[in-house]
Amino acid sequence: MTFALLCCTAPLFTLAPIPAIAQAPATEFVSYDNTPFGPGDRSMKLSIQLTGGETNANTELWVIYGENGAAITSATVGGSAAQARVRLDTVNGEGVASGNFIFPHSDNRRPNMTDTNAALISSGRTVYYKLVKKRGANVSTSPLVSFAMPDKLTIANFGDSYSSGEGSPYASGDRWDNEICHRSGNSGQARAVRTIKSEFPGMAIAFKNVACSGAQVAEGIMLSQKKQTWFGEGEELQRVVPPQMTAVRDWMGDNGYAELNIAMVSGGGNDVNFGLFVEKFFVLPFEFKADSTEYNNLRTTIANDVPQLYRSLEQAFEQNFTYDRVLVSEYPDPMRGADGQFCDAEHSAMNSAFLVPLNNAVRTTVSDFPKFRYVGGTMAESRRNGLCNNETPYFNNGLFDTFWVQGDVFGIVHPNRRGHREIYQPVYEAQLRGAVRDIAIKWAKIKAKEAARAAAAAEQLSARTQIVQARRGAQPLRAIRAIKVSPAFTLSAADKMATSKAITAAAASAKGKPVQTFGIPDNRLPDDGE
């Protein structure tokens, strides 16, 4: 299999296969040029023929690699070049021994049996390597092979407070990765990404977290976010938060990534005034009744506006990214106790006016989008650990809890640290696992056909060029529609005064108490790049 090196704006942004240097392979190297191919791939299966008393116990297989072809040609085992010994795990009936080699990367810096002078080679860079078969003083060497290191597999986390980690700040050091957005690696989504990184050691994964508490699908993901809208009517932010799509596109341009492979999204609640809903009916002593004006207004708003929001979001993804999959969250169910029953009639009404219609609208709408998947299961995972379960709560059940956990009002009705782990982490692990495998299968099929490989290389180059040009030219996002949603209800001056008093009392009672972690350690997961 041969490839042609394509160039674009800079070497970092080059990703196209490169021809193997023409040398006749030694017969003992059965498979030596099965180079990584496709997003995140850093592994290759290698095979050698064992002869004359050789076994996988007395024969060593080494890979020597680097970015200087001449240096690798002359390099030896034990020298200064980056090299690794491959574990020969299997030997077939014909005496062919096989093992897997992984090029070290930022998530797995010493992945092989023995890694010496390990080198991390960035996406798009040209890699040269050769195999060395060694038994005692007997040494044989494969032809030199060169290829372009594939992009990392990219994952981005978009959305509101249910993806940012609201309700679960860090227990030590800085409370948040981003103070304005209340962004924390303790979110179930970020925890799931860490799991996937560990489960796929041969996959280099780059993660970008742009989720922001208060974000709407419209003003947050697609447009700039000017207010925090996750409690009450929403105060102006200290500074405007750029559109999350812009932040991800800029990150891709800075690192030369052609594709956004997986996006995780949570949104819709703030677009239909979740903050007002929380303040009026979870903090203030108002009773929410089925078939009340507020009840009917909320159902109507969700039915009319949420499908429009997600159709606009899908169009924005299509116009601004080359992408594989968008995973859209179901909102969890905080309305029940340990017996699985609603806390009371009011919580039952909240469920039927807000939670169920919102989730149904999102699920029904995204089911029509080929690349979108609805991430269900969060309601089932949470419905015995809601706001009236004080023994094993998955949520910050009231004002005292949120001040205890994070020192402010904004964590109320959000998953606590245990909730993020138990509600979101397992369902996202399953979805990410499936998405990563599907992407690997797609690229394996492309790899098997020479014409398909050439077409894929051209498409990647085109996508990379566009994303880099957009970054350098500060080009605006395309196909963005502003959709305004009318509030289902409002707050009076008396309402706001009552809220202020309740908040002051809760802050005083929680002051000085140690942060509740439920014995779960912090999950600091910084953004990845090259």
Side-chain angles (χ1 to χ4, degrees):
M1 195 69 67
T2 59
F3 312 101
L5 175 62
L6 300 175
C7 296
C8 53
T9 55
L12 175 61
F13 305 133
T14 301
L15 178 60
I18 301 173
I21 294 177
Q23 299 179 37
T27 56
E28 62 258 52
F29 295 100
V30 178
S31 175
Y32 68 95
D33 60 353
N34 184 29
T35 59
F37 185 77
D41 191 9
R42 294 294 183 270
S43 65
M44 55 184 182
K45 186 174 182 179
L46 306 171
S47 299
I48 57 173
Q49 181 69 56
L50 300 177
T51 60
E54 294 175 339
T55 68
N56 60 343
N58 65 20
T59 303
E60 299 176 2
L61 177 61
W62 289 79
V63 178
I64 303 178
Y65 62 96
E67 297 185 58
N68 185 314
I72 299 305
T73 299
S74 61
T76 59
V77 172
S80 60
Q83 53 195 269
R85 183 180 173 186
V86 178
R87 187 185 305 278
L88 297 172
D89 294 314
T90 62
V91 181
N92 67 15
E94 298 177 346
V96 175
S98 299
N100 194 58
F101 169 78
I102 298 174
F103 285 95
H105 54 90
S106 55
D107 294 319
N108 200 352
R109 294 174 180 270
R110 281 176 168 71
N112 301 291
M113 183 177 181
T114 302
D115 282 287
T116 304
N117 307 320
L120 307 185
I121 300 178
S122 298
S123 303
R125 304 294 296 183
T126 303
V127 184
Y128 298 88
Y129 74 88
K130 66 181 180 183
L131 273 55
V132 178
K133 178 183 174 186
K134 185 173 183 290
R135 183 190 178 194
N138 296 321
V139 176
S140 56
T141 303
S142 77
L144 188 70
V145 179
S146 61
F147 70 98
M149 187 66 77
D151 278 1
K152 290 184 175 182
L153 184 140
T154 55
I155 303 175
N157 186 35
F158 297 84
D160 56 22
S161 51
Y162 283 80
S163 55
S164 73
E166 185 71 80
S168 185
Y170 298 121
S172 60
D174 291 338
R175 184 168 288 175
W176 306 105
D177 291 325
N178 182 295
E179 181 68 33
I180 289 179
C181 288
H182 281 198
R183 188 182 302 143
S184 164
N186 288 331
S187 72
Q189 289 88 334
R191 288 185 180 277
V193 170
R194 183 177 291 281
T195 299
I196 296 306
K197 286 187 172 193
S198 67
E199 287 184 1
F200 292 86
M203 187 77 69
I205 296 174
F207 177 56
K208 178 67 173 177
N209 193 354
V210 294
C212 191
S213 287
Q216 302 173 352
V217 173
E219 294 185 4
I221 297 179
M222 297 186 294
L223 300 166
S224 295
Q225 180 182 342
K226 300 177 182 179
K227 292 184 176 182
Q228 64 84 353
T229 56
W230 67 102
F231 184 81
E233 294 180 316
E235 300 295 330
E236 294 288 336
L237 293 172
Q238 295 174 11
R239 63 176 181 274
V240 172
V241 178
Q244 293 177 21
M245 283 189 159
T246 297
V248 170
R249 192 182 63 178
D250 288 351
W251 168 71
M252 293 173 63
D254 288 340
N255 289 282
Y257 298 140
E259 298 183 347
L260 174 58
N261 299 112
I262 304 170
M264 301 182 288
V265 173
S266 172
N270 290 322
D271 296 87
V272 295
N273 308 114
F274 174 67
L276 283 173
F277 186 77
V278 168
E279 181 168 353
K280 189 163 187 174
F281 298 106
F282 283 95
V283 175
L284 297 175
F286 287 94
E287 184 178 356
F288 189 77
K289 295 181 180 180
D291 295 323
S292 64
T293 299
E294 292 89 354
Y295 180 98
N296 291 320
N297 285 349
L298 194 54
R299 288 176 64 89
T300 300
T301 297
I302 290 170
N304 290 343
D305 296 317
V306 170
Q308 288 189 71
L309 289 164
Y310 272 90
R311 283 192 288 269
S312 181
L313 182 67
E314 192 256 356
Q315 186 179 24
F317 269 105
E318 288 293 326
Q319 291 293 316
N320 293 284
F321 297 101
T322 300
Y323 70 101
D324 287 294
R325 186 162 299 179
V326 176
L327 304 175
V328 181
S329 295
E330 175 181 82
Y331 285 100
D333 180 359
M335 307 298 183
R336 307 170 194 253
D339 59 359
Q341 301 301 309
F342 290 112
C343 298
D344 53 32
E346 185 175 18
H347 285 79
S348 176
M350 292 175 180
N351 182 72
S352 60
F354 183 78
L355 184 62
V356 171
L358 178 57
N359 282 335
N360 285 345
V362 173
R363 181 179 62 249
T364 301
T365 305
V366 303
S367 67
D368 292 332
F369 306 153
K371 297 180 183 179
F372 280 53
R373 300 290 185 275
Y374 183 73
V375 183
T378 61
M379 292 184 71
E381 294 285 351
S382 57
R383 62 171 36 123
R384 290 183 177 274
N385 303 85
L387 299 176
C388 49
N389 181 339
N390 292 316
E391 297 299 319
T392 53
Y394 284 1
F395 298 87
N396 294 311
N397 290 350
L399 286 176
F400 173 81
D401 285 352
T402 182
F403 274 98
W404 182 17
V405 167
Q406 62 184 61
D408 60 36
V409 69
F410 302 120
I412 190 172
V413 199
H414 286 81
N416 55 31
R417 187 177 296 227
R418 178 163 53 195
H420 276 286
R421 185 187 68 177
E422 300 298 330
I423 297 169
Y424 280 104
Q425 184 175 344
V427 296
Y428 264 100
E429 284 176 353
Q431 289 286 342
L432 287 172
R433 195 175 290 122
V436 170
R437 287 173 177 164
D438 287 348
I439 292 168
I441 290 170
K442 181 187 84 170
W443 283 88
K445 291 178 179 178
I446 294 172
K447 184 178 182 180
K449 298 178 181 179
E450 186 169 359
R453 292 183 74 157
E459 289 175 7
Q460 289 247 307
L461 177 61
S462 175
R464 176 173 297 99
T465 301
Q466 290 179 29
I467 208 84
V468 172
Q469 288 175 345
R471 174 66 170 125
R472 291 176 175 171
Q475 295 175 11
L477 296 169
R478 293 174 292 183
I480 301 298
R481 292 187 297 131
I483 298 175
K484 295 292 185 181
V485 178
S486 300
F489 38 78
T490 59
L491 296 174
S492 67
D495 294 339
K496 296 174 184 177
M497 183 174 294
T499 299
S500 178
K501 290 181 179 179
I503 290 172
T504 300
S509 62
K511 186 176 181 179
K513 296 187 181 300
V515 174
Q516 174 62 277
T517 66
F518 305 103
I520 302 168
D522 283 336
N523 177 57
R524 292 189 183 271
L525 191 65
D527 291 339
D528 295 310
E530 290 302 315

